Amino acid sequence: MKKIIFTFSLILLTLSACSDKQDKPLELFSAEAFAFKLDNSWELNGTTYVRNFAQEENDFGYNHKVSYKIDLVKPNGDSVYILSDEVENNIDERALDIPLEFQTELDSTYAQGKYKIIFNVKDELSGKTGTIETFFELNEY
């Protein structure tokens, strides 16, 4: 009887662990953005991390492919598309998370004030999507 209960418990635990991996949403965390003044423009840098993305095993290791689009919300509420990119890697081991980083220049038409960055991310292998926001300020001082 103990063997049956142990075997049944082990099967439930295994099924539970497998289903958790598939059901977890794409998780974005630790979003940051900052800008600094150049001569007549601003350099804007940002980063966030992604977890729970799909990884395919192949002869060379594990492959993942994540795309992202960056939107900026100005202090007056206007939204502007900034850039898009993708990260595709083939690595030896499964990755727990991956960084998404960008760097771009904002011209002199961007006024001082508080801005919002929106990371719109898609896992190209699973189709899962996620969004995270963070703020930064353009300030000459």
Side-chain angles (χ1 to χ4, degrees):
M1 183 68 171
K2 287 182 181 180
K3 286 183 180 182
I4 293 173
I5 293 174
F6 176 76
T7 304
F8 183 70
S9 298
L10 188 59
I11 291 170
L12 281 178
L13 183 62
T14 303
L15 290 175
S16 171
C18 291
S19 66
D20 283 348
K21 282 186 178 180
Q22 301 302 324
D23 294 353
K24 288 185 178 179
L26 194 65
E27 181 183 350
L28 308 175
F29 62 99
S30 298
E32 295 180 334
F34 63 92
F36 58 90
K37 184 77 169 138
L38 301 174
D39 289 335
N40 293 318
S41 61
W42 302 89
E43 182 176 304
L44 175 60
N45 298 274
T47 186
T48 192
Y49 291 85
V50 182
R51 178 181 297 152
N52 300 331
F53 51 91
Q55 299 179 71
E56 294 178 337
E57 190 171 9
N58 59 37
D59 293 339
F60 306 104
Y62 294 89
N63 182 60
H64 57 263
K65 185 175 183 181
V66 176
S67 63
Y68 61 97
K69 180 180 146 230
I70 307 297
D71 292 318
L72 180 139
V73 179
K74 296 180 178 182
N76 66 4
D78 291 346
S79 183
V80 179
Y81 162 80
I82 296 293
L83 61 87
S84 59
D85 201 358
E86 68 181 26
V87 174
E88 183 173 13
N89 291 316
N90 204 5
I91 55 179
D92 293 339
E93 298 178 358
R94 283 192 174 275
L96 296 177
D97 55 54
I98 54 173
L100 303 179
E101 303 171 321
F102 75 90
Q103 180 181 42
T104 192
E105 193 170 320
L106 302 177
D107 63 29
S108 60
T109 62
Y110 287 86
Q112 293 186 51
K114 189 172 184 177
Y115 290 76
K116 178 169 53 173
I117 290 289
I118 304 170
F119 290 85
N120 299 292
V121 180
K122 180 178 181 184
D123 177 1
E124 296 293 338
L125 298 180
S126 71
K128 294 189 283 186
T129 61
T131 300
I132 192 169
E133 303 173 351
T134 190
F135 294 90
F136 72 94
E137 286 196 42
L138 294 183
N139 190 343
E140 292 188 30
Y141 306 103

